[in-house]
Every structure is written in structure tokens, then in C-alpha cells.
Amino acid sequence: DAGITQSPRHKVTETGTPVTLRCHQTENHRYMYWYRQDPGHGLRLIHYSYGVKDTDKGEVSDGYSVSRSKTEDFLLTLESATSSQTSVYFCAISDGQGGYTFGSGTRLTVV
Amino acid sequence: RKEVEQDPGPFNVPEGATVAFNCTYSNSASQSFFWYRQDCRKEPKLLMSVYSSGNEDGRFTAQLNRASQYISLLIRDSKLSDSATYLCVVNYNFNKFYFGSGTKLNVKP
């Protein structure tokens, strides 16, 4: 019942390289979100989208950019990866009526 | 100050016990409330919404206290499979949701 998928599931990258994470949904939901989850901080919102080409910043947006050219895809780019961006990244979708549905997550390690 | 605060636990309880978690939120304009469950190394999944009148789903009961700005989750007759981290979630800003850091529950045989 994977209405939302994230890719890749795991990635190791070097400091200073750009990285793009992909979130794909088949639910036709308007809202899409990128979160990162770190011990002691819980889930923190990076960026979100409320429609095609409509995006806004969350609480921890520095060093990240997003794009949404189609309803089903929401891309998160780390422009120049740093070790502090080592984290688990979750994409989520919402139809605006209730809670979120999360993707399975991407474990990113920046070495 | 964090938008949503939870006791991180862990709460270690025997099977069959009743356990309760509280969560406080800072914004009195909060509109909707949820409890999510997250298993180790998995994504969070919606457990239940929390309504003003309180609501129950099997062994789980959620309550909202707007005056004191907290929500609670009560689990009765705990099962081993209830072991997880429980996340409190609050929404007050145009479909942006604020997550607590989670309360870890360990149910032991």
C-alpha cells in the first residue's frame, strides 16, 4: 500500500557534494513535506509544498532546497552536504483533512 | 521553548499494565492533535486523532485539555507489541504539523 515512496533508502556521500533525495506519491495529495529526524530533536520540518511550484521554508531550511514540478514528486537537494546533515530524512504527504502519511525514510550519511 | 514537549521516557511497564503519556503544547491557537507511533528505524504512523470530547480506539484513549494545553494517551492492558516511541503532534499553522520528540515505551513480559 506504498502510496508514498522515497529514494534512495540509504546513501553515503562526501562532504561538499550535492545530494538529491526524491519523494514520489500516488495519492494526488496537495501537500508534501520534508522532515529530518535526529536523536533529541524529534522530527523537524525542512521545507514543504502546498502545490506544484509552491513551496515554503520550515524551521531548519538552511542548506536545503526543494522543487516540485509535478504533483507526485517532491525533491530535496542538499546543495553542499555537511556532516551536520547526516540524518534520517522523511517525506510526508497530506490531503489537508487529517494527519500525515510518511515515506519509509532515507538514511543519509555525510563523511 | 519547543512547540510540543514530551517526557522522553523510557516507560518500562509489564504486560497488562495501564500506562499514560502526556504532551504539552505552547500555542493556544492549536487546531488539531494527533498521536503517532514510531517503531525502531521505521517511519511514524498515525495512531489516532485527538478530539475535544476525547476518543477511544480499543485499548487506546486520547484526551485533550485545551485549558491546560496538553493531550494525553492512555494504553490499557499493554501488549509486548505496544513497545514503540509515541509522538505527540499538534497543528496550528496552515497544515504544518509540530512534533514532540517522542516518549519511548518498553512493555516487558
Side-chain angles (χ1 to χ4, degrees), chain B:
Chain B
R1 182 183 175 187
K2 289 184 178 179
E3 303 286 350
V4 181
E5 302 216 43
Q6 297 182 249
D7 180 344
F11 286 60
N12 298 307
V13 303
E15 270 186 294
T18 295
V19 61
F21 311 132
N22 281 343
C23 159
T24 58
Y25 59 93
S26 61
N27 193 312
S28 59
S30 297
Q31 298 166 328
S32 51
F33 309 86
F34 307 87
W35 283 101
Y36 277 72
R37 171 195 168 123
Q38 187 173 24
D39 294 296
C40 188
R41 301 179 74 84
K42 298 285 189 180
E43 72 273 23
K45 292 186 177 179
L46 180 64
L47 178 66
M48 59 196 303
S49 302
V50 186
Y51 303 119
S52 296
S53 56
N55 48 298
E56 188 173 307
D57 182 2
R59 298 181 292 109
F60 299 83
T61 300
Q63 298 274 356
L64 167 63
N65 185 317
R66 285 191 182 271
S68 301
Q69 293 183 206
Y70 76 84
I71 67 173
S72 64
L73 178 68
L74 180 79
I75 305 175
R76 290 180 298 278
D77 189 23
S78 298
K79 312 291 185 189
L80 295 175
S81 58
D82 293 333
S83 296
T85 296
Y86 291 84
L87 305 174
C88 169
V89 185
V90 173
N91 162 256
Y92 62 82
N93 187 3
F94 185 60
N95 210 43
K96 284 194 292 185
F97 293 73
Y98 294 86
F99 287 77
S101 298
T103 298
K104 187 172 176 60
L105 172 66
N106 295 318
V107 182
K108 300 184 179 301

Side-chain angles (χ1 to χ4, degrees), chain A residues 59-75:
Chain A
E59 58 183 305
V60 291
S61 60
D62 287 349
Y64 301 94
S65 62
V66 290
S67 67
R68 191 165 177 203
S69 59
K70 297 185 290 184
T71 298
E72 56 266 35
D73 289 325
F74 192 33
L75 304 181

